[in-house]
Amino acid sequence: MKTELTSLPNGLRIVTEKMPGLASAAVGLWVTAGGRHERPDQNGIAHFLEHMAFKGSTNLPPGELIGYLQREGLAFGPDTNAQTGFDSTVYQLDLPRNDAALVGEGLRILSEFDGRLLLAGDQIESERGVILSEKRVRDTPDSRAFQAMLDFLLPGTRYAEREPIGLEEVIRTAPRDQFATFYHDWYTPARSVVVVAGDVED
C-alpha cells in the first residue's frame, strides 16, 4: 500500500491509499466538525446534517441518490456509511468496482455533500421523526453510563454537553436557518478531507 496526500489551494486535502490488485474501491469525506462545534441551540444539527446529505442537493434531487447507488450495486446502509462524532462527520461509499467512471461518480456525490446540499424544509420536517426514533434507540444503559463518565471526567466541556445525537428540543424545532448556518460555517474545503482507497489511477 502507498499513501499520498495532496493539498489543494482552497485548503481541501486529498488522501489516496493505493491498494494494487483490489477490484473494489472506497471513497470518503471527512469533515472536521461534529457535536463539539455546535452552539447550545444547535445541539444535534451536526448529526441531523449527516442525514440531510442523502435528502437532496443541487445536482441530486430528493429521492435520486439512493436509487442511483442501488443501480450501481451499492446497498443503502452496508455500502453507504456515515457517522457523526464529537469532532468530525464522516461519509463513506464502498464501491463494488474500481473503474474510473464509478470512482468519479462517488467523488461527485461527496462533492455534493460538501457544498451543495439543498436542506429543503420539507425534507428536514420529514426527517425529524427518524432522528427522534434513533435517539430513543440509543438511550441505553451503556450510553447513559458513557454520558455519566463524561460528566464526571470532563465537566463543563463540550464533550460532556454536546452528545452528537442532540437535544430533543433542537431535533423537533430547529429552523432551517440553523442547519444552513452550521453547514456553511463548517462544511468548507479547509475543513474537509477526501479519501480514495483502492487500485485506482490518480
Side-chain angles (χ1 to χ4, degrees), residues 4-202:
E4 297 179 357
L5 172 63
T6 303
S7 296
L8 301 185
N10 64 359
L12 179 70
R13 287 156 289 172
I14 302 171
V15 177
T16 305
E17 185 83 18
K18 298 292 183 66
M19 299 179 176
L22 187 66
S24 59
V27 295
L29 170 68
W30 177 38
V31 181
T32 57
R36 186 171 65 84
H37 300 89
E38 299 165 334
R39 300 193 309 259
D41 59 347
Q42 294 175 324
N43 190 194
I45 294 293
H47 173 253
F48 208 135
L49 278 174
E50 173 204 315
H51 285 237
M52 295 306 299
F54 298 92
K55 296 294 182 178
S57 61
T58 302
N59 298 304
L60 290 169
E64 183 175 313
L65 175 59
I66 294 175
Y68 172 79
L69 293 173
Q70 290 173 338
R71 288 193 297 273
E72 293 294 338
L74 283 76
F76 189 71
D79 300 320
T80 56
N81 300 304
Q83 60 183 2
T84 305
F86 290 102
D87 299 296
S88 64
T89 305
V90 179
Y91 304 89
Q92 180 176 327
L93 302 177
D94 294 327
L95 308 175
R97 308 185 309 278
N98 65 358
D99 59 87
L102 185 57
V103 172
E105 282 299 295
L107 293 173
R108 182 176 74 90
I109 290 168
L110 296 181
S111 74
E112 294 288 304
F113 291 175
D114 204 28
R116 302 185 183 93
L117 295 189
L118 295 177
L119 304 176
D122 61 333
Q123 296 293 327
I124 291 173
E125 292 303 319
S126 68
E127 199 66 17
R128 293 189 196 275
V130 174
I131 296 176
L132 288 169
S133 177
E134 183 178 343
K135 181 175 175 62
R136 287 192 293 270
V137 170
R138 289 189 184 189
D139 187 16
T140 64
D142 284 346
S143 69
R144 293 183 185 185
F146 179 70
Q147 182 62 52
M149 180 186 71
L150 291 178
D151 291 340
F152 177 74
L153 295 176
L154 301 169
T157 70
R158 292 196 175 193
Y159 290 100
E161 297 173 354
R162 299 290 192 277
E163 182 186 6
I165 191 62
L167 297 176
E168 182 171 338
E169 181 182 358
V170 174
I171 297 168
R172 287 189 183 278
T173 66
R176 183 190 180 278
D177 63 351
Q178 289 283 41
F179 293 83
T181 296
F182 189 90
Y183 183 60
H184 293 303
D185 283 350
W186 297 102
Y187 278 62
T188 65
R191 291 187 170 273
S192 303
V193 181
V194 172
V195 180
V196 182
D199 191 359
V200 297
E201 299 294 328
D202 292 332

